[in-house]
Amino acid sequence: MDIRNIAIIAHVDHGKTTLVDKLLSQSGSFRENQAVAERAMDSNDIERERGITILAKCTSVEWKGTRINIVDTPGHADFGGEVERILSMVDGVCLLVDAAEGPMPQTKFVTSKALALGLKPIVVLNKVDKPAAEPDRALNEVFDLFANLGASDEQLDFPHVYASGIGGWADRELDGPRQDLSALFDLILEHVEPPKQEFRADEPFQMLATTLSADPFIGRILTGRVEAGRLKVGDSLKALSRTGERIEQFRCTKILAFRGLTQQPIDVAEAGDIVTIAGMTKATVADTLCALEIDTPIPAQPIDPPTISVTFGINDSPLAGRDGTKVQSRVIRERLMKEAEVNVAIRVEDTPGGEAFVVSGRGELQMGVLIENMRREGFELSISRPRVIFREENGERLEPIEEVIVDVDDEYSGAVIEKLTGPRKGDLVEMRPAGHGKTRIVAHVPSRGLIGYQGEFMTDTRGNGVLNRIFHGWTPYKGPIQGRRQGVLISMENGVSVAYALWNLEERGKLFIGAQEQIYEGMIIGEHSRDNDLEVNPLKGKKLTNVRASGTDEAVRLTPPVRMSLEEAIAYIDDDELVEVTPKIVRLRKRLLDPHERKRAARSEG
């Protein structure tokens, strides 16, 4: 059977997963009476809750006697490592662009990787049925983007279709019949070349592993594209590292291939097909699985370096161990090492004490998803504020800089520009009207300046602004950037919070806790209205007397407390603070719980 391998790439929320749903249903991958969830490719709980794709996933459809292997990729820059890895498995890319928004930062990032590999793109102008859609402008912007990224003449001569993923149609012309996706299927068969690996079917078997996972029944499994030869169940293979070192020799126990949303066992893996192999115990991502006579590994795509780091430590607060079951540093380390093995964009390092681990990655969202997964598995952690990774070149200190694209109502553009270019040390690159009363702002801002900015941005734009960011490059260190301006309210007692005490504390600032909540000394219970930290007593009850007076029996009415999400809490804390994460609750605390130790530390720093 003929094969085509294609990846669907786009910016977040431009409709990749919805389009894959429709491709699957119209190709006959589902039975007529089969119950299929919306966004069937987003199988992970967090993906479904947030409505984003985090892990790249493969599927397969048949059209006119040809098998099309489709890879659905993440749209967030934080998960770009997944996309970089996957592009080495495919022979073409389907670039989805929102007809209203046009090319966005992640579109630029992923397209540059695809063009550098020589892949020929098909452009799908999605959501053309939106009232604000401008498909012709979006198409011109895509062409300009390709030209700026150094595309070849062949790549610039790209075909395009107009589509609506949710409507389930695609047409070569804007005023086409709008019935189904057959135009897109036919375009894939015409434009994407069959895998070149088919001509190497008689050579010894070789495959580059691109994704790693575990199956409870068959153990460790690796997925990749067969680069040469054939593989049968029971054949002996060996695994080579990137440098050519032999890792292990093993017997292939099972071969799985993608058929619709499921993987089905097959007897023979052919050159050019995307398959999953079981039987190995040590081989991992970017290793070469090959016949015993092969000694040269397949070159693997280099992955962009991480830009931020976060310290994961044990939860050593007085309330540790009450909610979670996995609290020891040994168990946390095992889990982080397992994550680093599967996710090539993450690095894990031990600290001298052995009770904390420095995890480096692409962004706050990627770290937030890892922490959320761990807390759901029963871990208790203490998390530090994200720190930017600097690097030295020719004796000069360089820091990462990000390209920020903001779409905001015209009336709020001044406040956004003032924040980005003032205290956050950014440079304004472009500002232009985006139509419908909105302004598009493009700026280059240090990564340090964007940590914790999302919440402030939503407040400044009354929740109507959209901010997208992507790693742009390295720039000389721009000097200190001011962090949070307000101090915090710190509990000076252990116990259960009292409504009367909190009522009296409301005039001091915003509270993060309500009445009858467990608290401890050194825990942050609110934000101070001034710039200094203040120690308070949330346990102080009302003194009762036999004397009656007007106003004595007034009911205490508390303002609802501010409840932060995990990402908001991590972005909010300062360098001397931690986020305590358990399966049930997220708390803020000082790194040093004892007030005397905090004063000594402040004096030694001063």
Side-chain angles (χ1 to χ4, degrees), residues 105-391:
Q106 183 68 3
T107 316
K108 180 178 175 181
F109 169 78
V110 184
T111 307
S112 67
K113 300 285 180 188
L115 294 177
L117 287 169
L119 300 175
K120 291 187 203 167
I122 295 171
V123 173
V124 179
L125 295 160
N126 196 25
K127 306 188 185 182
V128 294
D129 49 356
K130 279 170 76 170
E134 295 180 54
D136 293 337
R137 175 185 60 81
L139 186 61
N140 290 336
E141 287 179 359
V142 171
F143 185 87
D144 294 342
L145 173 66
F146 282 17
N148 292 339
L149 293 174
S152 65
D153 291 344
E154 202 175 8
Q155 288 170 328
L156 283 171
D157 189 22
F158 57 85
H160 66 275
V161 292
Y162 301 95
S164 167
I166 202 156
W169 59 264
D171 290 311
R172 297 283 183 104
E173 304 297 330
L174 190 54
D175 51 0
R178 301 192 173 190
Q179 289 175 340
D180 55 29
L181 291 166
S182 54
L184 178 57
F185 278 119
D186 293 339
L187 190 58
I188 290 171
L189 297 190
E190 284 171 34
H191 190 69
V192 179
E193 295 174 0
K196 298 183 181 72
Q197 289 77 5
E198 289 181 349
F199 303 109
R200 301 177 61 193
D202 298 326
E203 295 180 23
F205 176 79
Q206 293 178 64
M207 174 179 133
L208 180 68
T210 49
T211 61
L212 166 74
S213 52
D215 184 283
F217 300 105
I218 55 177
R220 194 184 187 90
I221 52 177
L222 286 167
T223 302
R225 179 171 63 176
V226 181
E227 296 293 328
R230 291 184 179 85
L231 179 68
K232 294 178 184 172
V233 176
D235 286 357
S236 292
L237 297 173
K238 68 178 177 183
L240 299 175
S241 69
R242 289 184 190 196
T243 54
E245 293 172 29
R246 182 170 169 157
I247 299 167
E248 63 172 328
Q249 182 175 326
F250 63 94
R251 190 179 294 278
C252 173
T253 56
K254 203 155 202 171
I255 305 171
L256 302 168
F258 293 93
R259 300 290 180 264
L261 287 176
T262 58
Q263 283 185 305
Q264 296 175 1
I266 57 172
D267 296 325
V268 182
E270 302 280 351
D273 203 357
I274 295 174
V275 297
T276 300
I277 295 177
M280 73 291 298
T281 55
K282 296 177 187 170
T284 186
V285 171
D287 291 340
T288 300
L289 308 179
C290 56
L292 301 180
E293 61 265 34
I294 300 287
D295 294 317
T296 311
I298 301 166
Q301 271 292 105
I303 302 294
D304 284 356
T307 55
I308 71 160
S309 67
V310 171
T311 303
F312 285 55
I314 58 167
N315 180 13
D316 57 359
S317 83
L319 303 179
R322 297 196 183 188
D323 298 339
T325 54
K326 299 170 182 173
V327 294
Q328 307 94 329
S329 59
R330 172 183 55 81
V331 182
I332 294 170
R333 184 180 188 279
E334 282 173 12
R335 174 66 178 83
L336 290 174
M337 290 302 176
K338 186 177 160 191
E339 183 70 26
E341 193 174 41
V342 176
N343 190 338
V344 290
I346 279 181
R347 293 181 194 163
V348 180
E349 299 163 46
D350 294 317
T351 57
E355 292 194 340
F357 313 95
V358 178
V359 181
S360 307
R362 289 283 180 86
E364 293 162 73
L365 180 64
Q366 185 186 33
M367 292 297 163
V369 167
L370 171 58
I371 296 163
E372 183 62 40
N373 277 324
M374 289 179 70
R375 72 180 280 205
R376 291 182 185 202
E377 292 164 20
F379 283 89
E380 287 196 9
L381 305 162
S382 60
I383 307 293
S384 75
R385 177 179 168 82
R387 295 179 303 280
V388 165
I389 297 172
F390 297 99
R391 76 179 190 194

Side-chain angles (χ1 to χ4, degrees), residues 17 27 92 118 143 236 275-276 317 345 361 376 389 406 412 416 421 427 430 441 472 499 519 569:
T17 308
S27 65
F143 185 87
S236 292
V275 297
T276 300
S317 83
R376 291 182 185 202
I389 297 172
V406 175
Y412 306 128
V416 172
T421 58
D427 298 318
E430 185 186 357
I441 300 162
H472 180 69
I519 56 171

